[in-house]
């Protein structure tokens, strides 16, 4: 069996471990997550790794170095999923990390390698993503630990119920990281549209998310003359088309109104209130901030024209995260050594690499995603691309070892 075949077989095996029969759903510290961790533990042990579960539920396997005071290269991704997920988002990155380590055999390296399977990235159970990666950089704070799921269980209680000790959380932090590398499917169509297997991530796009409330006046749809209306729906609709128009006209910007709710929401009543979300992303913070300013201003203008007031509330703001230039160029050399074309790429989605990047040099390799389809049962990846990614990963480890030995 080729390495890529083995990686894919393991991903499919993990996809059958689920909290919901007939689909692939594994959330933070769920029963299925425990079974998935048990299975990956056996693979890690077979690979000769020292395995432990940290206090945030991250599964960690260390390949020790012969050299004393060796720092740690982290190879990581996540094992949790969205509801009714595919087999590869996150899981592929963990299985590729493990395969890279397995292929090292007895080779002596000037650093340790720690394979980390994050317990939580998707934010499904607690509505907050990146619990696992926050733990390894020490930013899983009180506020987050108190956050509750739909059953009223807090993160802190979930950790306790799983049999872990929250007091041990400081031990989850990696004190001496040499670097971080994550393999992940692109989850978008860029690489496939260019016929390229791999992408070296240079930046993870920044995001701004708002909730807007358009408040007009509900009234009778038959008896209220057009000039006398305060129609919140018409104001919101005009604004939504500008969100699309502005983003189409701005290079490197995406903007989305993904959800609207109308009150009272009846066919024969003029809408008195519309609540709408706004999600704006770009690798360039100035472009993103400029777009947000314009779009919020425009929302007010759409309201004013109809006697509708508009309020906006910031729900999330995350600046763009550039990945480490030194590791990025090393990863490009590694990709080059496989014969694949080097393509730098911006990630429009958030990833664990974005959480760890402020604390350690971080790099990320994307694999082409057929049809750009992800967070879907039909999510796929090509075996040849996985093999190229593994080859690039092996080359990356060799290059990093050469750099460290030369110090
Ligand atoms: Zn993911």
């Amino acid at each position: 069996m080729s390495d890529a075949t083995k990686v894919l077989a393991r991903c499919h095996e993990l996809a059958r471990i689920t909290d919901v029969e007939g689909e692939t759903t594994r959330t933070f510290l769920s029963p299925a997550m425990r079974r998935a961790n048990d299975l990956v533990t056996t693979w890690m042990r077979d690979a000769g790794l020292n395995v432990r579960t940290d206090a945030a539920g991250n599964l960690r396997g260390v390949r020790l170095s012969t050299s004393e005071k060796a720092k740690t290269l982290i190879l990581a991704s996540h094992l949790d999923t969205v509801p009714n997920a595919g087999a590869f988002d996150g899981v592929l990155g963990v299985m590729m990390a493990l395969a890279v380590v397995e292929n090292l055999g007895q080779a002596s390296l000037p650093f340790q390698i720690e394979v980390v399977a994050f317990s939580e990235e998707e934010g499904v159970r607690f509505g907050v993503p990146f619990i696992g990666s926050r733990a390894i950089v020490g930013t899983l704070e009180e506020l987050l630990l108190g956050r509750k799921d739909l059953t009223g269980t807090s993160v802190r209680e979930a950790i306790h119920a799983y049999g872990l000790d929250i007091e041990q959380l400081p031990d989850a932090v990696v004190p001496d990281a040499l670097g971080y590398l994550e393999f992940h499917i692109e989850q978008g169509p860029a690489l496939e549209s260019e016929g390229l297997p791999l992408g070296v991530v240079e930046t993870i796009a920044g995001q701004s998310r708002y909730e807007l409330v358009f408040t007009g006046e509900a009234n009778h749809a038959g008896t209220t003359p057009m000039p006398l209306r305060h129609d919140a729906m018409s104001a919101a609709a005009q604004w939504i088309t500008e969100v699309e128009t502005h983003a189409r006209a701005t290079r490197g910007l995406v903007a989305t109104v993904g959800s609207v709710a109308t009150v009272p929401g009846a066919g024969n009543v003029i809408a008195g209130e519309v609540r709408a979300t706004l999600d704006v992303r770009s690798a360039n913070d100035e472009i993103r901030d400029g777009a947000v300013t314009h779009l919020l201003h425009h929302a007010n203008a759409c309201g004013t024209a109809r006697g509708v007031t508009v309020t906006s509330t910031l729900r999330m703001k995350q600046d763009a995260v550039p990945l480490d230039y030194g590791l990025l160029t090393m990863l490009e050399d590694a990709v080059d050594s496989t014969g694949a074309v080097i393509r730098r790429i911006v990630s429009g989605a958030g990833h664990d690499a974005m959480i760890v990047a402020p604390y350690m040099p971080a790099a990320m390799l994307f694999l082409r995603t057929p049809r750009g389809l992800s967070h879907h049962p039909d999510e796929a990846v090509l075996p040849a691309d996985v093999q190229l990614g593994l080859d690039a990963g092996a080359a990356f480890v060799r290059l990093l070892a050469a750099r460290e030995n030369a110090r």
Side-chain angles (χ1 to χ4, degrees):
M1 198 183 334
S2 79
D3 297 333
T5 309
K6 181 164 77 176
V7 164
L8 295 176
R10 284 173 168 175
C11 290
H12 287 301
E13 192 171 350
L14 283 165
R16 288 193 290 273
I17 301 179
T18 175
D19 291 310
V20 180
E21 209 48 52
E23 56 185 57
T24 299
T25 302
R26 277 193 311 273
T27 57
F28 180 55
L29 301 182
S30 72
M33 182 59 82
R34 189 189 297 278
R35 298 199 303 278
N37 281 354
D38 286 348
L39 180 58
V40 178
T41 296
T42 63
W43 293 334
M44 283 182 168
R45 292 222 165 100
D46 289 346
L49 305 185
N50 291 347
V51 185
R52 69 171 174 129
T53 303
D54 71 23
N58 297 318
L59 183 65
R60 309 170 67 149
V62 178
R63 179 190 195 269
L64 294 170
S65 166
T66 46
S67 94
E68 280 181 34
K69 292 190 185 168
K71 291 188 165 191
T72 305
L73 170 65
I74 298 168
L75 301 179
S77 198
H78 59 96
L79 287 185
D80 68 316
T81 74
V82 294
N84 200 18
F88 302 107
D89 177 359
V91 178
L92 178 71
V94 179
M95 293 305 108
M96 287 181 68
L98 184 56
V100 166
V101 171
E102 285 173 335
N103 283 337
L104 285 169
Q106 300 302 313
S108 138
L109 293 174
F111 45 81
Q112 306 190 128
I113 299 181
E114 181 163 31
V115 177
V116 183
F118 290 125
S119 55
E120 208 290 331
E121 190 268 353
E122 300 285 4
V124 173
R125 180 167 175 188
F126 287 96
V128 184
F130 311 118
I131 291 175
S133 48
R134 285 182 217 253
I136 78 158
V137 293
T139 60
L140 189 50
E141 289 132 350
E142 277 309 307
L143 191 69
L144 250 167
L145 291 172
R147 182 113 183 179
K148 294 190 167 152
D149 67 8
L150 292 176
T151 70
T153 305
S154 68
V155 175
R156 177 183 292 280
E157 289 160 348
I159 286 172
H160 182 73
Y162 195 81
L164 297 167
D165 180 2
I166 196 101
E167 301 301 325
Q168 304 295 318
L169 213 42
D171 290 342
V173 178
V174 182
D176 52 359
L178 180 63
Y180 172 102
L181 174 63
E182 179 170 1
F183 305 95
H184 204 284
I185 54 171
E186 181 199 348
Q187 304 179 281
L191 293 172
E192 182 178 58
S193 71
E194 296 170 32
L196 300 177
L198 303 175
V200 176
V201 180
E202 57 177 348
T203 305
I204 296 175
Q207 311 183 18
S208 295
R209 294 193 203 174
Y210 283 83
E211 184 179 82
L212 280 79
V213 181
F214 294 77
T215 308
E217 189 175 53
N219 210 333
H220 198 292
T223 62
T224 315
M226 296 309 289
L228 300 182
R229 295 178 177 214
H230 306 292
D231 187 337
M233 182 72 95
S234 299
Q238 187 189 0
W239 172 69
I240 290 167
T241 60
E242 174 60 13
V243 171
E244 185 194 34
T245 304
H246 185 73
R248 276 177 178 251
T250 310
R251 204 179 150 82
L253 186 79
V254 290
T256 307
V257 178
S259 169
V260 290
T262 317
V263 179
N268 59 352
V269 183
I270 297 160
E273 180 185 291
V274 173
R275 287 176 177 268
T277 59
L278 174 65
D279 178 314
V280 183
R281 305 190 193 202
S282 174
N284 182 314
D285 293 335
E286 249 174 85
I287 290 176
R288 189 183 88 250
D289 288 342
V292 166
T293 302
H294 167 74
L295 292 173
L296 295 183
H297 179 80
H298 194 268
N300 276 309
C302 295
T304 303
R306 298 173 175 85
V308 170
T309 60
V310 181
T311 59
S312 60
T313 309
L314 179 66
R315 290 293 181 212
M316 173 188 171
K317 184 174 184 202
Q318 157 92 50
D319 282 348
V321 177
L323 297 186
D324 182 74
Y325 189 74
L327 289 192
L328 185 156
T329 50
M330 190 178 286
L331 189 55
E332 287 183 332
D333 290 344
V335 168
D336 193 42
S337 76
T338 69
V341 172
I342 298 170
R343 161 71 152 89
R344 286 195 190 177
I345 189 165
V346 170
S347 174
H351 289 289
D352 292 305
M354 157 184 108
I355 300 300
V356 304
Y359 298 88
M360 62 186 81
M364 197 168 185
L365 187 68
F366 272 174
L367 283 83
R368 162 169 47 192
T369 309
R371 294 165 58 206
L373 190 67
S374 181
H375 287 186
H376 188 282
D378 293 341
E379 187 178 83
V381 71
L382 303 176
D385 294 355
V386 173
Q387 191 58 53
L388 274 176
L390 291 173
D391 293 346
F396 178 86
V397 170
R398 279 197 301 274
L399 290 168
L400 188 62
R403 187 191 81 181
E404 290 304 297
N405 282 327
R407 281 189 182 220

